[in-house]
Amino acid sequence: MRGLRVSEALGSGFSCNGNNVAYLTGSSTPLNGYGLDKEELFKIPFQARPGPSISTSYTSSMGFTIQSAILPRAYPHLLFKGILTYGWPGGYWFFHGILDKIKLAMGFKATQAVALLALGHDESDGKIMLEKGTNKISFIPPRDPLLPRKIKVFQKLTQKLGGVLFMSKYRSTAVHLLGGCNASSSGPSHGVCNPKGQVFDPLATVHPGLYVCDASLIPCSIGINPSFTIATAAEHISRHLVQDVLEYKIRREGTNYLGGVQDSDSFTEKTKTIDNCQISVVAFKETMRGHVGGMPCTAYLKMKMNPHGEDQKDSDIEWNLGTNIHGKSHPLLRGKVGGHVEFRGFEKDNLHIIDGDVNLCEVDSRTPYTHYMCYHLHLVASTGSRYILEGRKIMNPYLLASYAWREATTLHVTFEKVADKSSKNDDHDKVILKGELSIYMMELLKSLVSFEGNKKGKFLSLLLGTLFRTYLLQIPRGSQEHFNLSDCEHKYSYPSSTLHDIKTEDGVVISCRQWKCQQSLSKLRGSDEQRNPILLVNGYAVESYWLPTEPNDLVRTLIEEGHETWLLQSRLHVLNPSNTFTLEDVGRFDIPAAINKMLELLGPNVKVHVVAHCVGGLAIHIALMGGHVSASHIASLSCTNSSMFFKLNALSTVKMRLPLLPISMLILGNNKTLPLVETSTSPPVSSRHRLLKLIARLIPRYERCSCSECEVVSGIFGNAFWHENVNPTVHQWLNKESSTRLPMAAFPHLRKICNSGFIVDSNGSNSYLIHPQRMALPTLYISGGRPLLVTPQTSFLAHKYMKLHQPAFRHERVVVEGFGHSDLLVGEESCEKVFPHILAHIRLADEQLGRNVHINVAEGKKVFSDSEADQYQYEEGFGDFGSTWFSPFVVLLLALSLVSLLARFFS
């Protein structure tokens, strides 16, 4: 039922070795059929005490053997005296058991009794099966043609010895069970295992490493007591099993294990050591319920912590609230998982856990403040299908312990079907579902009651200690690794580029970096397709496209695709920071100047693909809808977490509506550029800037970081990416090398856009959305499915807007699961999960230009229809934190505290 493929002969060929058991009592003959009484038993040392045994044996010429057996005095004789048996001869046998008990109670000597056993040969055609649904055993006994003769022999013995004979009412009672996993040399059609004991796999040869070594492989009755026969069969199987293991190890490790003998004294010493030490183990049950893929799912888990008995020497010294100095969790917080999962919407039978691991204090160096509880379960179904269920409880010190209960009891799971090895198309068979399972208060209490083991108190103290460290002490478990970035940049050498200084109409000097492609505007690799140049527009002062430490950033990807690539470094960039500007200036002056420079060098008929992120997406929409750039010069537009709309999550919205930003601008004074990285060569940081950076570190954010510069930026903006998605080298380069300064002059305009929810001019007026006719171009809007700053509603509204006002052009929308904001472009897996959508959109736009036609249908790789997009209209998704009632009030209290702090500072 757990999915193991075995022969259909399993459970067939069952034999009772011709057994029939009877009970003779009430005889006047001294049978000595009882064992020792209590006084006699305790006089004999424990090791020398006898057990039930055969006292006499006689083989009849009729084809079977009759034996007498000694039974313990504590045996429940009444079961054999009229309750589950019938008696012979007839008469008073029904009351014999009651009368015998009365005699014993009155002090009379018990009557003589003995157990009788007949054994011989039956037809070995019995069946023993497991009934699905009831989980009960269905047993059909084998036919015994000699049963009438055996009963007659029992009756003759009773006549000679005197007394009453009792036998089973329903079937012959057996004590020698054989078969059911019969060995066969003819393959799985006639047996379950081969003569070596290896279990047959009907679709292959055998299951490697799986053996039958006991009486169930003996395919027939043997007519005598089978203990020696079973031992002989087990030794025969063991000889082949050991040989197979040694050959496997030789193949795997290249070591010759043959002839190796372990020293007996050493083995004895190790055994004594293991026996003398007390292994710390804790076991408990956990039941979680919820929905996966929209379908009800319940997990019944049995957890055994520290199942291997790992050494815990000096645990009180080395282990600090659940983890050691290396970030490894305590052995009592790691264990194995068993049980089953009910997922009736996917499989009608239970999914059994054949292998499971749990770690209740997982540590990731990328997120040192975050505490994970990780579950990894291998599941099998009765159909043979295999699945993997992976889950994580993610705990962050966000607003102290406000979310502690929800995070500690909610498991975010991924359910994946394992493709069959025989399947040719693994991607087609792969099924991935996501959902959440939760443990409720009553189930938690049941879990606490189910605790077993000698270290229950230690386990609970460790678990509570990890939560205390995460939520209240907020002590990081390690820190971001430090890398030599010059080695990374040398390892991934970048194509040569040209830096163009450009003077805008308002007199500000910006720059544009150009990577040429030898075949960008001509035929590429013999293809008739035309590769138009691409302009990349960054977000607010953070580099997203040009990552020298990484092998697969977007710039490299576009160059390899055959596109000449331009990277705009506007007045938002750290190289060209301006002290007085708005986002409107970027869209009005910087982007038109960059496109004009491209047209000047590449020709007036060139069309430019624009890829923009965050604030850069706002700026390109201001440029187009404000009439500063003509859509006739744009081949396509791709925006990540940006559009003409800009919808923030709850916490960012509260921060923008509170007067935090005006206060920050007041603190900055005349110098609106905030230095982020302080070095020995950099000018001294003013007290105003230090105060603002201190305040930024105090502002709540969902993920905390051990990097000071990252803490400041996330305090001002909010978390820009999920740290687990970003390579540590990128994280270090962004914070230490790239984003060294933050020009904040455009923040007042950005605040007006955020509070409006769409692009407005510097005065807050709606001057752009009223010109949809200027957006005559194909668009692609990409959002992260696990939002941090900007919600998927941003791309949803833009997609609707473009389909309504520009239906003649192709418009796509993609929501990429697992990504937040900037990690759509700087994430470790962006080249696999995000860039293909951008490349496909650009490629289709080039094809459209080559055919000079409009495309009315979506041709992208992953495009949302209206109905599919609706799910993100109001769904904030995982990561939209701060949506509960108390979050705005906490931020409000923080703002009031900030005002009080400023009053003291300026006084």
Side-chain angles (χ1 to χ4, degrees):
M1 286 184 66
R2 299 191 178 193
L4 183 69
R5 294 188 300 267
V6 294
S7 167
E8 293 184 358
L10 178 65
S12 302
F14 196 79
S15 171
C16 293
N17 200 31
N19 281 179
N20 303 97
V21 179
Y23 185 71
L24 175 61
T25 183
S27 174
S28 58
T29 306
L31 299 177
N32 296 322
Y34 287 118
L36 302 176
D37 60 22
K38 184 183 296 185
E39 293 181 0
E40 294 171 327
L41 186 68
F42 283 102
K43 290 179 181 178
I44 303 175
F46 180 80
Q47 294 82 355
R49 293 174 187 172
S53 60
I54 301 298
S55 56
T56 60
S57 180
Y58 170 74
T59 301
S60 170
S61 60
M62 290 186 289
F64 53 88
T65 298
I66 299 292
Q67 297 178 341
S68 62
I70 305 300
L71 292 175
R73 286 187 179 273
Y75 192 83
H77 306 113
L78 195 60
L79 296 178
F80 257 137
K81 296 178 179 180
I83 295 180
L84 298 175
T85 59
Y86 68 91
W88 185 90
Y92 76 101
W93 64 267
F94 181 77
F95 301 101
H96 186 278
I98 298 175
L99 295 174
D100 200 29
K101 288 294 180 184
I102 294 175
K103 288 182 180 180
L104 288 174
M106 296 177 65
F108 291 96
K109 189 176 180 180
T111 56
Q112 295 291 327
V114 69
L116 300 176
L117 169 66
L119 62 160
H121 295 278
D122 54 29
E123 297 293 336
S124 302
D125 57 355
K127 288 188 177 183
I128 181 167
M129 301 292 181
L130 182 65
E131 294 181 351
K132 291 185 179 181
T134 62
N135 287 341
K136 294 182 178 179
I137 298 297
S138 172
F139 176 57
I140 301 175
R143 289 175 295 174
D144 186 358
L146 297 179
L147 180 59
R149 296 185 182 183
K150 296 172 184 176
I151 294 176
K152 288 183 179 180
V153 170
F154 285 150
Q155 291 174 346
K156 287 183 179 180
L157 287 172
T158 303
Q159 288 176 343
K160 290 184 178 182
L161 298 174
V164 180
L165 178 69
F166 293 93
M167 293 187 68
S168 173
K169 282 183 178 180
Y170 304 108
R171 64 167 72 101
S172 297
T173 306
V175 293
H176 301 151
L177 305 179
L178 307 172
C181 289
N182 295 356
S184 171
S185 58
S186 303
S189 59
H190 295 86
V192 178
C193 62
N194 62 18
K196 294 183 179 181
Q198 296 172 303
V199 177
F200 289 126
D201 182 350
L203 299 182
T205 308
V206 295
H207 290 287
L210 183 59
Y211 296 81
V212 178
C213 305
D214 66 353
S216 58
L217 61 78
I218 299 175
C220 61
S221 56
I222 57 178
I224 58 174
N225 303 81
S227 58
F228 283 159
T229 306
I230 296 170
T232 303
E235 288 186 0
H236 170 76
I237 300 302
S238 299
R239 186 180 301 113
H240 294 288
L241 188 153
V242 171
Q243 188 65 31
D244 290 342
V245 170
L246 294 179
E247 290 177 358
Y248 169 76
K249 288 194 171 185
I250 291 172
R251 290 195 305 270
R252 184 178 181 184
E253 304 175 8
T255 306
N256 189 356
Y257 292 86
L258 299 177
V261 179
Q262 186 177 14
D263 180 57
S264 59
D265 295 336
S266 174
F267 177 79
T268 304
E269 186 65 29
K270 290 180 180 178
T271 304
K272 289 181 179 179
T273 303
I274 294 174
D275 291 338
N276 292 334
C277 70
Q278 189 178 23
I279 298 177
S280 301
V281 177
V282 174
F284 60 94
K285 298 178 182 179
E286 188 175 60
T287 301
M288 290 185 285
R289 308 176 192 274
H291 291 80
V292 178
M295 295 174 281
C297 180
T298 305
Y300 298 93
L301 308 181
K302 300 176 181 179
M303 315 236 254
K304 187 175 182 181
M305 314 309 291
N306 192 26
H308 306 298
E310 292 186 37
D311 190 13
Q312 303 173 46
K313 292 181 180 179
D314 300 327
S315 59
D316 295 330
I317 300 174
E318 295 183 3
W319 300 99
N320 182 13
L321 296 179
T323 56
N324 61 14
I325 57 176
H326 304 293
K328 186 178 181 181
S329 59
H330 193 280
L332 275 176
L333 298 178
R334 289 177 275 123
K336 305 295 290 184
V337 184
H340 68 276
V341 176
E342 288 184 2
F343 199 4
R344 295 291 184 257
F346 209 80
E347 289 280 355
K348 63 178 182 178
D349 297 323
N350 292 339
L351 301 175
H352 297 276
I353 302 172
I354 58 173
D355 186 27
D357 297 285
V358 63
N359 189 341
L360 298 182
C361 190
E362 184 78 21
V363 177
D364 188 346
S365 61
R366 302 185 187 190
T367 55
Y369 285 90
T370 304
H371 173 192
Y372 300 98
M373 294 185 183
C374 298
Y375 296 67
H376 185 85
L377 311 179
H378 289 264
L379 310 172
V380 292
S382 59
T383 58
S385 300
R386 293 175 177 264
Y387 305 90
I388 293 177
L389 189 148
E390 289 186 320
R392 290 194 311 173
K393 297 176 182 177
I394 306 174
M395 285 149 284
N396 278 296
Y398 176 61
L399 298 178
L400 295 177
S402 302
Y403 290 88
W405 172 258
R406 188 183 76 176
E407 292 176 340
T409 58
T410 303
L411 186 70
H412 305 276
V413 302
T414 300
F415 183 83
E416 178 180 347
K417 182 177 182 180
V418 179
D420 194 350
K421 293 181 180 179
S422 60
S423 175
K424 296 181 180 179
N425 190 352
D426 292 347
D427 294 335
H428 179 73
D429 293 338
K430 185 175 268 190
V431 175
I432 299 179
L433 302 175
K434 294 186 178 183
E436 292 182 355
L437 300 178
S438 300
I439 180 169
Y440 299 100
M441 178 61 75
M442 187 57 66
E443 298 294 345
L444 183 61
L445 294 176
K446 291 180 181 178
S447 180
L448 292 174
V449 171
S450 69
F451 267 70
E452 297 177 353
N454 54 3
K455 293 290 183 179
K456 293 181 287 187
K458 179 70 173 177
F459 169 78
L460 289 174
S461 66
L462 285 169
L463 184 60
L464 294 175
T466 61
L467 298 175
F468 181 74
R469 174 175 179 167
T470 299
Y471 286 109
L472 299 180
L473 298 181
Q474 298 188 15
I475 301 174
R477 297 174 173 88
S479 61
Q480 287 277 357
E481 299 180 56
H482 183 76
F483 297 90
N484 188 344
L485 297 180
S486 59
D487 293 341
C488 298
E489 294 177 8
H490 178 73
K491 181 178 179 181
Y492 307 117
S493 59
Y494 227 85
S496 60
S497 62
T498 303
L499 184 63
H500 300 279
D501 290 329
I502 305 172
K503 191 172 183 179
T504 64
E505 288 186 8
D506 62 342
V508 175
V509 177
I510 62 172
S511 58
C512 223
R513 188 171 293 275
Q514 176 192 14
W515 286 271
K516 293 182 179 180
C517 181
Q518 296 178 356
Q519 298 172 311
S520 62
L521 294 178
S522 59
K523 294 181 179 179
L524 182 71
R525 302 189 187 108
S527 172
D528 293 332
E529 297 179 16
Q530 182 179 348
R531 297 290 193 264
N532 287 299
I534 296 176
L535 176 64
L536 305 176
V537 185
N538 273 309
Y540 205 117
V542 178
E543 183 57 61
S544 302
Y545 306 108
W546 176 33
L547 309 174
T549 62
E550 301 306 303
N552 296 309
D553 60 5
L554 186 57
V555 171
R556 296 179 197 267
T557 303
L558 293 172
I559 294 173
E560 291 174 1
E561 189 73 9
H563 292 278
E564 182 168 315
T565 304
W566 292 63
L567 176 62
L568 174 61
Q569 296 173 337
S570 68
R571 63 191 77 197
L572 280 171
H573 198 271
V574 294
L575 296 179
N576 310 301
S578 177
N579 209 37
T580 55
F581 71 99
T582 65
L583 295 182
E584 196 172 22
D585 295 333
V586 178
R588 183 179 178 184
F589 300 113
D590 297 2
I591 292 178
I595 292 178
N596 289 335
K597 186 67 174 179
M598 296 176 69
L599 297 178
E600 175 188 338
L601 296 179
L602 303 178
N605 296 324
V606 167
K607 286 182 175 289
V608 179
H609 296 286
V610 178
V611 180
H613 172 65
C614 188
V615 171
L618 299 177
I620 186 61
H621 282 87
I622 289 174
L624 286 167
M625 304 182 82
H628 309 299
V629 172
S630 174
S632 61
H633 294 305
I634 306 299
S636 71
L637 174 61
S638 303
C639 292
T640 54
N641 273 329
S642 182
S643 67
M644 69 284 290
F645 298 94
F646 208 59
K647 298 295 183 180
L648 304 181
N649 63 8
L651 178 62
S652 299
T653 301
V654 171
K655 286 166 62 176
M656 284 297 177
R657 294 193 180 277
L658 290 175
L660 296 176
L661 190 54
I663 294 174
S664 300
M665 302 307 292
L666 178 64
I667 294 174
L668 284 174
N670 295 326
N671 187 359
K672 299 294 192 300
T673 301
L674 180 67
L676 298 176
V677 179
E678 299 180 25
T679 62
S680 57
T681 59
S682 61
V685 181
S686 68
S687 58
R688 290 175 175 268
H689 289 162
R690 290 188 184 279
L691 175 61
L692 183 58
K693 291 165 71 171
L694 173 63
I695 295 171
R697 293 189 185 99
L698 297 176
I699 294 177
R701 81 291 313 273
Y702 183 66
E703 269 193 345
R704 292 195 59 192
C705 182
S706 57
C707 174
S708 175
E709 293 79 10
C710 185
E711 282 283 271
V712 173
V713 172
S714 59
I716 295 174
F717 286 105
N719 291 117
F721 46 76
W722 293 106
H723 283 71
E724 65 186 69
N725 291 341
V726 177
N727 195 310
T729 56
V730 172
H731 184 273
Q732 181 175 330
W733 183 82
L734 289 174
N735 290 286
K736 300 295 185 180
E737 301 290 336
S738 176
S739 304
T740 57
R741 292 182 291 178
L742 180 61
M744 298 185 61
F747 267 65
H749 184 203
L750 177 61
R751 182 176 182 238
K752 292 177 182 179
I753 294 176
C754 294
N755 290 337
S756 300
F758 53 86
I759 53 176
V760 295
D761 60 23
S762 57
N763 297 319
S765 302
N766 180 13
S767 304
Y768 301 108
L769 291 186
I770 58 177
H771 299 294
Q773 73 279 2
R774 296 172 179 171
M775 290 291 293
L777 73 168
T779 60
L780 167 66
Y781 295 104
I782 301 177
S783 291
R786 191 183 169 197
L788 274 168
L789 282 175
V790 182
T791 68
Q793 195 179 9
T794 298
S795 59
F796 171 81
L797 294 174
H799 183 68
K800 288 284 190 181
Y801 181 92
M802 293 303 297
K803 292 193 72 174
L804 175 64
H805 294 289
Q806 295 291 345
F809 292 87
R810 178 175 49 85
H811 304 293
E812 303 172 70
R813 176 177 181 259
V814 177
V815 177
V816 186
E817 292 297 331
F819 287 81
H821 191 63
S822 295
D823 45 341
L824 284 168
L825 298 170
V826 302
E828 195 170 11
E829 297 183 350
S830 298
C831 58
E832 300 173 2
K833 298 183 178 180
V834 181
F835 295 172
H837 299 297
I838 298 175
L839 294 176
H841 178 70
I842 292 174
R843 192 178 300 117
L844 287 170
D846 279 340
E847 292 175 3
Q848 175 184 344
L849 291 173
R851 295 194 302 266
N852 194 26
V853 295
H854 294 313
I855 300 177
N856 291 320
V857 295
E859 300 177 6
K861 186 175 181 180
K862 180 183 177 184
V863 184
F864 280 88
S865 64
D866 292 343
S867 60
E868 292 171 319
D870 284 341
Q871 65 175 312
Y872 288 100
Q873 183 174 6
Y874 300 106
E875 180 184 338
E876 305 257 331
F878 181 83
D880 180 26
F881 305 97
S883 56
T884 54
W885 63 270
F886 48 78
S887 301
F889 291 101
V890 172
V891 179
L892 181 60
L893 290 175
L894 183 61
L896 294 176
S897 302
L898 175 61
V899 172
S900 175
L901 180 64
L902 288 173
R904 292 184 180 182
F905 177 79
F906 286 108
S907 62

